[in-house]
Amino acid sequence: MEVDVKQKTAAPVVDEKELRRRIIRRNDYVSQAFIDGHTPGSDTKENDSIIGPGVAQSAQQAMNLREPDGFNIGAAAMPDGGVNNLHLHSTAEVLLNWSGTWKMRWGADGELICDEGDIVSVPTWISRGFTNVGGSHGWLFTARGFDNTGDMTWGPLVLKEAGNHGLFRTLDNQLIETVSGDTVPEDVEVISSLPQAESDRVRIWTVEQMQQRVVRHRDLNWSSQPFRCHELPGGGAELAMVIGYGMTEDRDQVPPVHSPHDFNLAWLRAVKDEGMLQHRHGHSQVLVGYRGTWLVTLNEGDYKVATVLYPYDTISVPAGAWRTFTALDDQAQMVVVNSGHGRVRLEWPPETVRHAEDKGYSQ
């Protein structure tokens, strides 16, 4: 969803009611059921559809915000030893490790360890799963491409095990729990696994190839001048790119993951009272709180509204709206997700542009 802000003379005004609708606190997330929800080891996992329907496999699925951002935001959480079984996606899936240590699994025997703060871009059309191996409760956020992320395809062993524990899923997205007294209607077809001929065509990814799609938090390349406002008081945020060029204005920054995802993703950090000064752009945007707290202010002049972004919270910012991000402590970090494959062209107030030009900075 994209608006050309350079041709749009008036920015949308977000009132208090609309801002509250777009804020999703951690305590608001609602867990969803998957086909392996009764399988031992997977029966303790939580799956949340936060923005958009995600890939929840229940007709009664709940989502916090149904917003056509061009991508979906969800979450998966589970205790130590919890397992998410191997499955396929046809659209981009990115895993953001907010807490814990996870073993990422793919294909027949691919494995790597993902530590807290790491981000993994999983290729489409390969089987993937993950296991919490950190000794405590773990949390992954997920970002997936498109408004409709498509379905999940499970392996034959996963479906067989689910059936052994009385859980079936029909083609019209109904989860049937025979252990609770439900019966599978005779005229309803249940899902099956990927045909063998299709399975044989799935690409094999080596550990070395997958490592190139893991962006370690410890290895982030932070730019201290990513935006035109970087020398102005309050404009001292730093940006580390993860997927796509996104909204950086530092001509020397290069993202570690280039392939199209239908969204771009980056880390933003700042010390207290610094951040991004007032700006806007024509892409839908989601903020995900990681560490510390941020003051998020929308609109301009007498119409400003504000809220605090805490760790694990998410905020959806509409395309074209003016926004300002200010760190409220020295450890403030968040992930910023914007719609689209390409660059996000930022629009700044005239005084910010003049200051940047006086300092010799230009886009």
Side-chain angles (χ1 to χ4, degrees):
M1 190 177 171
E2 185 173 343
V3 177
D4 187 347
V5 295
K6 292 185 178 181
Q7 297 180 14
K8 187 176 177 67
T9 57
V13 176
V14 181
D15 61 22
E16 289 279 1
K17 181 179 179 182
E18 178 65 6
L19 176 59
R20 289 195 300 272
R21 186 182 77 88
R22 289 175 170 272
I23 301 168
I24 309 104
R25 305 294 183 193
R26 181 178 183 178
N27 290 338
D28 296 332
Y29 301 154
V30 181
S31 184
Q32 312 294 319
F34 280 167
I35 187 67
D36 59 348
H38 290 168
T39 303
S42 299
D43 53 344
T44 56
K45 67 179 178 180
E46 305 167 30
N47 300 284
D48 304 297
S49 296
I50 300 171
I51 300 177
V55 289
Q57 294 187 303
S58 172
Q60 289 75 43
Q61 68 183 42
M63 71 189 78
N64 295 101
L65 181 63
R66 185 184 290 273
E67 194 67 25
D69 283 327
F71 56 90
N72 279 233
I73 300 293
M78 60 186 73
D80 180 49
V83 176
N84 194 28
N85 289 294
L86 291 174
H87 58 280
L88 289 170
H89 289 295
S90 60
T91 58
E93 181 178 48
V94 175
L95 307 175
L96 299 82
N97 185 354
W98 249 228
S99 65
T101 301
W102 298 82
K103 179 186 290 185
M104 300 298 171
R105 299 174 284 107
W106 70 94
D109 53 9
E111 292 184 353
L112 60 80
I113 295 297
C114 174
D115 296 314
E116 186 174 302
D118 294 347
I119 295 178
V120 183
S121 170
V122 186
T124 56
W125 288 110
I126 69 165
S127 60
R128 84 288 309 274
F130 41 87
T131 304
N132 182 356
V133 295
S136 61
H137 198 271
W139 184 284
L140 297 172
F141 276 102
T142 60
R144 299 187 179 97
F146 295 107
D147 292 319
N148 184 350
T149 62
D151 205 351
M152 299 172 67
T153 303
W154 299 92
L157 294 180
V158 176
L159 295 177
K160 179 180 179 180
E161 189 68 12
N164 290 340
H165 291 89
L167 195 56
F168 302 86
R169 179 171 165 263
T170 66
L171 291 180
D172 61 351
N173 216 26
Q174 298 284 337
L175 280 178
I176 298 177
E177 301 183 59
T178 57
V179 293
S180 301
D182 295 341
T183 58
V184 181
E186 294 183 0
D187 58 343
V188 172
E189 187 177 355
V190 298
I191 61 169
S192 58
S193 60
L194 197 67
Q196 188 60 49
E198 292 295 324
S199 297
D200 293 341
R201 295 171 57 192
V202 171
R203 181 179 173 183
I204 297 175
W205 286 75
T206 67
V207 173
E208 290 74 19
Q209 289 173 317
M210 287 295 291
Q211 288 282 10
Q212 296 176 15
R213 301 180 71 92
V214 180
V215 182
R216 306 286 184 183
H217 195 271
R218 63 177 180 267
D219 297 330
L220 291 173
N221 182 17
W222 294 95
S223 171
S224 60
Q225 52 181 26
F227 310 119
R228 288 192 179 195
C229 66
H230 75 273
E231 283 199 347
L232 286 168
E238 296 184 328
L239 185 79
M241 302 163 70
V242 178
I243 296 171
Y245 281 89
M247 60 185 187
T248 186
E249 294 180 322
D250 181 345
R251 65 186 64 180
D252 294 324
Q253 273 197 296
V254 177
V257 180
H258 297 80
S259 56
H261 284 61
D262 302 292
F263 57 86
N264 53 81
L265 186 152
W267 285 100
L268 191 75
R269 73 179 182 187
V271 297
K272 186 177 180 181
D273 298 328
E274 297 293 334
M276 284 188 74
L277 298 181
Q278 189 178 79
H279 64 285
R280 67 173 180 156
H281 57 74
H283 298 254
S284 54
Q285 182 179 73
V286 171
L287 315 175
V288 186
Y290 178 62
R291 295 290 182 266
T293 53
W294 295 83
L295 180 67
V296 177
T297 305
L298 303 185
N299 308 326
E300 56 183 340
D302 296 334
Y303 300 99
K304 289 182 179 178
V305 294
T307 189
V308 175
L309 177 71
Y310 297 96
Y312 293 83
D313 290 351
T314 52
I315 298 177
S316 173
V317 182
W322 289 105
R323 81 259 346 239
T324 305
F325 311 141
T326 305
L328 298 179
D329 51 59
D330 287 340
Q331 291 77 41
Q333 290 190 42
M334 64 172 160
V335 157
V336 180
V337 187
N338 300 297
S339 62
H341 296 307
R343 288 186 179 273
V344 175
R345 300 296 183 181
L346 303 181
E347 180 183 350
W348 301 93
E351 59 271 22
T352 302
V353 176
R354 285 195 298 270
H355 177 85
E357 291 175 346
D358 290 344
K359 295 291 185 178
Y361 297 104
S362 61
Q363 282 185 313

